[in-house]
Amino acid sequence: MFDEVQELYQETILDHCKNPRHFMEMKDATCSAHGHNPLCGDQLKLFLRVDEGIIREVSFVGSGCCISKASASLLTETVVGKTTEEALRIFDAVHRMITTGKPDPSLGKLVVLAGVSKYPTRVKCAMLAWHALAAAIKGQTTQVTTELDER
Ligand code: ZN
């Protein structure tokens, strides 16, 4: 447990966990999605305001472990200003990185999430917000659950 804490709760993760960015409801969101990770109890709702294919604003609310919150917070910083296609490409790259553990330099500060790969239950925590992002962009109205992410 101690090793896990040391490895996962790096400075960036701790910072985003304690002070999540864009942590609020969005009144004029154009799409949103719920995410739920029953294994850990993480729940969140992600809001997007998409205009002409570009994500103008992102925010989230919810409760969960440090990893799920930090990953959601990092997500909001990463995808704002991107097109929805770019955001889905980032989703794929993050998913690849978190499941393989190979840091992807093109992902900037998101590389702090690569270490999560060693802890399968934490992968679901880290991916929760990203699944919600993909669901919101694809316009799914059903709740996403990380159980779909089994591999
Ligand atoms: Zn969690």
Side-chain angles (χ1 to χ4, degrees):
M1 188 61 197
F2 185 68
D3 284 347
E4 178 181 357
V5 170
Q6 268 207 323
E7 203 158 4
L8 291 182
Y9 291 57
Q10 298 171 41
E11 207 174 321
T12 306
I13 289 181
L14 271 181
D15 174 39
H16 279 266
C17 162
K18 286 183 191 154
N19 309 294
R21 318 300 197 268
H22 312 104
F23 189 71
M24 66 196 96
E25 300 239 6
M26 196 191 297
K27 292 263 160 23
D28 57 349
T30 57
C31 44
S32 65
H34 277 285
H36 178 218
N37 175 14
L39 272 183
C40 180
D42 310 314
Q43 301 229 34
L44 60 83
K45 186 172 186 190
L46 189 82
F47 302 90
L48 298 178
R49 189 165 63 77
V50 179
D51 176 34
E52 295 180 345
I54 294 167
I55 299 170
R56 306 288 180 180
E57 264 185 282
V58 200
S59 71
F60 76 103
V61 292
S63 60
C65 66
C66 206
I67 296 289
S68 68
K69 240 196 268 180
S71 184
S73 175
L74 285 161
L75 178 155
T76 64
E77 284 199 327
T78 305
V79 302
V80 72
K82 301 280 196 294
T83 66
T84 52
E85 286 95 58
E86 281 169 336
L88 289 175
R89 271 202 298 276
I90 296 169
F91 164 84
D92 284 335
V94 167
H95 187 253
R96 207 177 308 123
M97 180 178 76
I98 290 178
T99 51
T100 64
K102 288 200 192 94
D104 180 343
S106 74
L107 291 173
K109 66 168 81 160
L110 291 173
V111 297
V112 297
L113 295 171
V116 172
S117 67
K118 289 182 198 149
Y119 308 98
T121 56
R122 292 301 186 183
V123 167
K124 295 174 187 298
C125 301
M127 281 310 296
L128 183 63
W130 296 90
H131 283 297
L133 171 76
I137 289 174
K138 291 170 184 169
Q140 296 169 11
T141 49
T142 49
Q143 172 167 287
V144 291
T145 157
T146 49
E147 292 309 287
L148 300 171
D149 195 35
E150 290 288 359
R151 44 173 289 143

